[in-house]
Amino acid sequence: MNINRKSLSALCAAALLTSTLTPAAFAESGAKWTEETQKDGWIKVTQEGGATLGYSPDSGVTLLTVDGYAFKDLDRDGELDVYEDWREDADTRAKDLASRMSAEEIVGLMNVPATSGFEADGSDATLQNTLGETTPMSTAISEQGLRQVLSRGSSMPALNQARWNNAMQALSEQADPYGIPLQIWTDPREAYTGGLGNLALAATFDPELAKRVTQLGNSKYRALGISGLYAPQIDVATEPRWSRVDGTFGEDPALSRDMANAVISALQSTYDEEGNDLGWSDESLIAVMKHWPSDAPGEGGREAHNKYGKYNVYPGDAFQTGLIPFVDGGLNLESATGMAGAVMASYSIAYTDDESLGELVGSAFSEYKIQLLRSYGFDDVVITDSSVTAPASERFTTKDHGVEDLTVAEKDLKAIRAGVDQILASNNYGEQNDILEAYRMMAEEDGEEAAIARMRESARRILRNEFRVGIFENAYVDSAQAVKVLEESDEAFALSVAQKSVVMLKNNGNVIASGDTSEKKTVYIPMVYTPASSSMAGVTPASWGLPISEKTANRYFNVVTDTVGEPTGEADAEGQATYTVNDIIRASEDELSNCEYALFFINNPTLGSGYDKSTETYLPISLQYGEYTAKSDAVREESIAGDLVESNQETPYGVVTSYVRENRSYYGESTVAANQYELDLMLEVMEKLPEDLKTVTCVTATNAMVFSEFEAKTDAILMGFSVDKEAYLGLVAGQVEPSGLLPIQMPLDMEAVEAQLEDVPRDMECYVDADGNTYDFAFGLNWSGVIDDERVAQYNVPALTEPELQPVE
């Protein structure tokens, strides 16, 4: 039986509306659902053994009752269509809805702009185009058919984020002829997972622990209406100078594979109280694993967000190695959802002289790369990285690698033909017009039938994910509950994981050991200098201060520190003197006499970009603090990759024009870390300490680094990967035994860095410290010495070189 609620007789209406019947009478009517208007204004429908529904009373959407269950009449036709039937599987529903949609309707699914601002009360957001023009998001939804957005509102209060979701969902539900909800995406918000990043999780060598950490965030994202996450980043960090190493699971393919499997499973699968995997549900998030087929092996460590870093190179012929976490991890999950719901293509060009890895274009435009992904049986969404189709402008700012001469619509067409489904046009809300123009070009070239079939293929993939996570049934959220969920945190668990991720590299004389922790030790923590900096928010003046919260440090130790003197620097805009590096009064010898050790905090050397725009010069990217000049035999005097540039040569017969490959070598060039002052100040303090005062150095790292500049001068070294500094303190105090292992190698020196190959993991000559320990992958110390447990046995084996799974025939 299929009943249109609009056309019910008065008697039937009374039987269906719970507000007019007693519970007993309602039960006698045969209906298995009840509805209740929420404080946020939307209507919630609860069913016995059926899907929970949500809809806006102002959208025009009504309910259909079939076999006692309620269904949303999303297209308002009075019939229960296949896509409206929550009893059908996601694939069946997606095929049905996609088959109904025109190209003009589909483009609103394929374009994903990003919010550029929000109304203070969460009532609306703004979107921006490439000209800097803005439009209200409500207009883009109601008048332009937008149905996807990347939210950059993480700093907005939870209440307002939830209200914004509900307002936009009501507009989408009302404006869309099929009632398609707005899908909200976000980049990872590490605050939702205890501030723990991927490289820190990798240092635990514990995929199950990474899974538990990931699950901390699921309820927070969904409470705000977010149903998709541009994560995890699973590039194998084969190049130690790459600026995005800290977003990866390290440089071992097997560890990255297992971490990817665990994290994607945690995002997508729902687990009951007994731990049973229930697969997709309205608690799931769509995971977007990135960046296919690995963005790590940029020549010289340069990053592909820029033209000067657009080329990935394969001197070790190890292209296949980068595929392992994707193919054997994300496409072969040990959980019920089977595969990641989406894949983000990398910015980079896979460079070969013979184009054996495809045309020399960014991955989103590479038919070779996208079809390689499809060959492994992946039939879900492929999305570009941000702004790859933006109009070409300055040579080193755009990301449209290899297709700079194409119009936006032509870039969209090339990406769609390659196999891409969504364009992450972060700063171009109007790109759906370009996607529509791309469709028209495709129809003219291939015929209308083939063109609409291709568009519907992408629509099916996009919609299937939306059905999987339940937003067609209910995209609304309880704003009060969102506030409550976002306030919840398991700080003790997050801290314990952070502590597990810290690697003890050196412990000469067992400076760090278990012991009586009933009484706090007295330690000296030197103050650190922070130079002045400027940003869009304004100028931050130079300052002196403790490297960690004094309140936090005092929970673990009796802290002795320095005194800040009067500022002696130049006056600021308000006429106030500013601090200099000399405005500090260090602790006296008498104050230090009761200290058991000095505790230093330092950041790894700041990486350069590898290019000086002002001089158009390629530079080395250094992993050491001091000046580095790239002139060893290991430095390439001719780069592997480069653009073809025009060369005009005078001959007796006139000017002859040819094209030659540019040389991007940085041989002979020099660079120095922007934070060299950190090392200088630390060594200055160390040299003035009493000879018998032991030192412990806590390194906060995002990348590998050269340790020879200070290792011999300190008694103990702890290394953490962008974790809260409190994580070090429990280990130093002897309360927690160190257990972290290095997920990346530490180089002997910069010559070793130059000698390693950008595409090959774990191929670097590693640093050996004064105690004879080698800072290699999987190395770490505990109180007893070098860790040699089941984690080491599992992963400290020769690195994998290619995926186990093979393409589907």
Side-chain angles (χ1 to χ4, degrees):
M1 180 175 64
N2 189 346
I3 304 174
N4 180 357
R5 188 172 168 213
K6 288 181 180 177
S7 61
L8 288 174
S9 66
L11 179 61
C12 291
L16 288 174
L17 294 175
T18 63
S19 58
T20 63
L21 289 178
T22 65
F26 181 76
E28 291 176 2
S29 73
K32 301 175 182 177
W33 56 270
T34 59
E35 66 176 9
E36 181 180 4
T37 300
Q38 304 298 293
K39 291 181 180 179
D40 292 301
W42 56 279
I43 297 174
K44 182 178 181 180
V45 179
T46 305
Q47 314 202 60
E48 299 173 11
T52 297
L53 311 180
Y55 68 101
S56 167
D58 303 319
S59 67
V61 168
T62 55
L63 299 181
L64 303 169
T65 299
V66 178
D67 299 330
Y69 291 109
F71 301 83
K72 291 159 68 174
D73 186 12
L74 293 167
D75 62 359
R76 299 98 164 158
D77 68 349
E79 300 292 331
L80 181 61
D81 301 310
V82 172
Y83 84 90
E84 296 170 333
D85 191 342
W86 44 259
R87 298 171 299 184
E88 298 284 354
D89 64 80
D91 193 50
T92 299
R93 298 175 73 184
K95 288 178 181 176
D96 177 66
L97 179 51
S99 70
R100 302 166 184 262
M101 298 180 71
S102 67
E104 290 78 5
E105 293 164 335
I106 291 171
V107 294
L109 294 173
M110 297 178 72
N111 180 35
V112 189
T115 57
S116 60
F118 289 85
E119 294 295 325
D121 61 357
S123 60
D124 206 346
T126 53
L127 305 174
Q128 193 174 52
N129 66 13
T130 55
L131 300 176
E133 300 166 338
T134 60
T135 190
M137 187 170 162
S138 54
T139 301
I141 290 174
S142 59
E143 298 180 13
Q144 300 165 16
L146 180 69
R147 294 297 174 267
Q148 305 278 324
V149 72
L150 167 59
S151 171
R152 289 182 171 156
S154 59
S155 62
M156 188 165 60
L159 179 67
N160 292 349
Q161 290 189 65
R163 287 175 174 172
W164 170 69
N165 170 78
N166 290 342
M168 297 303 101
Q169 297 297 355
L171 276 174
S172 185
E173 190 173 67
Q174 182 179 40
D176 195 275
Y178 308 103
I180 297 174
L182 176 71
Q183 183 163 27
I184 301 176
W185 300 87
T186 189
D187 290 317
R189 301 178 179 182
E190 289 183 3
Y192 295 0
T193 53
L196 296 159
N198 285 357
L199 197 58
L201 294 177
T204 69
F205 278 57
D206 188 344
E208 281 302 310
L209 186 61
K211 186 175 182 179
R212 288 179 58 198
V213 170
T214 303
Q215 289 170 328
L216 292 176
N218 286 25
S219 61
K220 292 178 171 59
Y221 290 116
R222 291 309 304 259
L224 298 172
I226 295 166
S227 57
L229 188 65
Y230 290 145
Q233 182 187 340
I234 60 174
D235 315 74
V236 180
T238 52
E239 170 48 59
R241 295 165 290 187
W242 188 39
S243 62
R244 304 191 70 179
V245 168
D246 66 326
T248 74
F249 291 118
E251 67 174 302
D252 183 68
L255 180 61
S256 298
R257 172 202 65 200
D258 294 349
M259 287 287 180
N261 195 322
V263 168
I264 296 169
S265 295
L267 291 170
Q268 294 188 166
S269 273
T270 303
Y271 299 86
D272 63 18
E273 293 181 356
E274 285 74 41
N276 298 310
D277 186 348
L278 307 179
W280 294 104
S281 80
D282 58 6
E283 298 177 12
S284 299
L285 288 164
I286 300 161
V288 182
M289 60 179 181
K290 58 185 185 182
H291 308 85
W292 174 266
S294 182
D295 219 5
E299 185 164 17
R302 295 185 291 267
E303 163 43 36
H305 272 74
N306 304 285
K307 291 293 183 186
Y308 53 77
K310 65 182 177 181
Y311 291 114
N312 278 183
V313 294
Y314 304 91
D317 196 25
F319 174 82
Q320 289 286 323
T321 303
L323 307 184
I324 292 171
F326 295 92
V327 175
D328 292 342
L331 301 185
N332 188 36
L333 300 179
E334 296 176 357
S335 54
T337 59
M339 292 185 178
V343 174
M344 181 177 286
S346 70
Y347 283 127
S348 51
I349 296 171
Y351 183 84
T352 55
D353 289 330
D354 60 0
E355 298 191 11
S356 57
L357 295 177
E359 184 184 1
L360 299 183
V361 292
S363 297
F365 309 106
S366 171
E367 183 176 358
Y368 174 86
K369 291 183 186 177
I370 304 304
Q371 293 311 310
L372 176 63
L373 172 63
R374 299 289 186 203
S375 75
Y376 287 101
F378 183 74
D379 185 38
D380 280 301
V381 174
V382 175
I383 186 168
T384 73
D385 209 331
S386 177
S387 302
V388 298
T389 58
S393 55
E394 185 184 346
R395 184 180 181 218
F396 290 107
T397 57
T398 52
K399 306 174 182 69
D400 52 348
H401 304 329
V403 296
E404 294 88 346
D405 295 334
L406 302 183
T407 66
V408 174
E410 288 169 339
K411 293 172 193 174
D412 288 336
L413 176 59
K414 189 169 182 64
I416 292 167
R417 285 196 183 283
V420 163
D421 302 299
Q422 286 187 316
I423 309 293
L424 180 53
S426 298
N427 298 313
N428 191 10
Y429 66 81
E431 182 135 351
Q432 58 208 60
N433 296 324
D434 298 294
I435 299 173
L436 185 58
E437 178 60 26
Y439 161 75
R440 290 170 179 155
M441 289 189 286
M442 184 163 50
E444 183 175 345
E445 295 172 12
D446 302 347
E448 180 71 29
E449 184 177 350
I452 191 63
R454 175 64 190 88
M455 298 292 279
R456 286 173 175 163
E457 181 178 49
S458 286
R460 172 183 60 81
R461 292 169 178 152
I462 296 165
L463 292 167
R464 178 169 56 196
N465 274 340
E466 297 186 17
F467 285 119
R468 284 168 168 167
V469 296
I471 60 174
F472 266 82
E473 275 56 72
N474 183 23
Y476 297 90
V477 298
D478 182 330
S479 61
Q481 180 66 13
V483 172
K484 180 180 178 182
V485 171
L486 267 291
E487 287 176 347
E488 295 173 351
S489 65
D490 193 339
E491 295 179 0
F493 173 65
L495 177 59
S496 72
V497 176
Q499 290 168 333
K500 291 177 186 293
S501 76
V502 173
V503 184
M504 185 159 69
L505 295 175
K506 184 177 182 180
N507 192 23
N508 184 267
N510 291 323
V511 174
I512 298 175
S514 74
D516 182 8
T517 58
S518 60
E519 291 189 14
K520 293 191 293 185
K521 299 176 182 179
T522 299
V523 303
Y524 168 51
I525 304 180
M527 286 192 176
V528 295
Y529 177 70
T530 304
S533 61
S534 59
S535 65
M536 294 180 64
V539 176
T540 302
S543 63
W544 279 97
L546 279 170
I548 187 171
S549 158
E550 186 171 7
K551 180 179 179 181
T552 300
N554 277 321
R555 288 205 297 267
Y556 296 84
F557 307 107
N558 297 314
V559 176
V560 172
T561 189
D562 308 313
T563 302
V564 180
E566 292 296 322
T568 61
E570 296 180 357
D572 60 19
E574 298 178 355
Q576 300 295 316
T578 57
Y579 283 105
T580 73
V581 72
N582 298 313
D583 298 332
I584 191 73
I585 303 169
R586 295 297 185 184
S588 67
E589 185 173 343
D590 184 59
E591 289 174 305
L592 296 176
S593 63
N594 293 321
C595 295
E596 296 202 30
Y597 38 75
L599 182 57
F600 293 87
F601 291 86
I602 192 169
N603 297 296
N604 70 277
T606 302
L607 302 180
S609 66
Y611 187 78
D612 185 339
K613 290 184 181 181
S614 64
T615 61
E616 297 188 350
T617 303
Y618 286 91
L619 299 173
I621 297 175
S622 177
L623 301 183
Q624 67 184 40
Y625 295 97
E627 184 177 34
Y628 166 63
T629 300
K631 61 181 181 181
S632 72
D633 291 342
V635 181
R636 296 185 190 115
E637 295 191 46
E638 293 286 335
S639 64
I640 294 174
D643 292 342
L644 284 176
V645 294
E646 186 177 292
S647 174
N648 297 314
Q649 186 175 4
E650 292 281 353
T651 73
Y653 307 100
V655 177
V656 175
T657 299
S658 61
Y659 289 88
V660 297
R661 186 73 62 188
E662 70 169 327
N663 184 12
R664 296 187 166 200
S665 172
Y666 47 80
Y667 184 87
E669 299 293 339
S670 300
T671 189
V672 64
N675 66 333
Q676 182 185 13
Y677 66 89
E678 289 192 47
L679 176 66
D680 292 343
L681 288 173
M682 183 177 77
L683 293 180
E684 179 183 303
V685 175
M686 284 182 174
E687 289 171 2
K688 295 179 180 179
L689 293 176
E691 289 187 9
D692 60 347
L693 185 60
K694 302 296 185 181
T695 59
V696 176
T697 303
C698 300
V699 180
T700 295
T702 59
N703 287 74
M705 60 185 287
V706 174
F707 275 92
S708 59
E709 293 172 293
F710 71 88
E711 176 270 321
K713 296 178 174 65
T714 187
D715 296 291
I717 300 174
L718 295 173
M719 190 175 215
F721 299 98
S722 300
V723 294
D724 190 292
K725 290 184 175 67
E726 185 178 359
Y728 302 104
L729 302 186
L731 279 66
V732 176
Q735 298 174 6
V736 178
E737 184 170 17
S739 62
L741 302 169
L742 283 177
I744 52 178
Q745 295 178 314
M746 298 296 141
L748 171 63
D749 51 27
M750 279 305 300
E751 186 171 352
V753 174
E754 299 286 7
Q756 61 85 38
L757 303 179
E758 287 93 337
D759 58 326
V760 178
R762 296 170 50 191
D763 64 333
M764 193 158 53
E765 185 177 3
C766 296
Y767 183 75
V768 180
D769 71 11
D771 293 339
N773 289 316
T774 303
Y775 294 178
D776 203 346
F777 170 78
F779 170 75
L781 301 171
N782 57 22
W783 289 331
S784 301
V786 176
I787 298 172
D788 186 17
D789 57 17
E790 65 279 358
R791 299 171 302 160
V792 176
Q794 180 177 358
Y795 292 109
N796 195 21
V797 294
L800 300 174
T801 59
E802 61 183 11
E804 181 178 346
L805 293 182
Q806 297 301 309
V808 178
E809 295 295 335

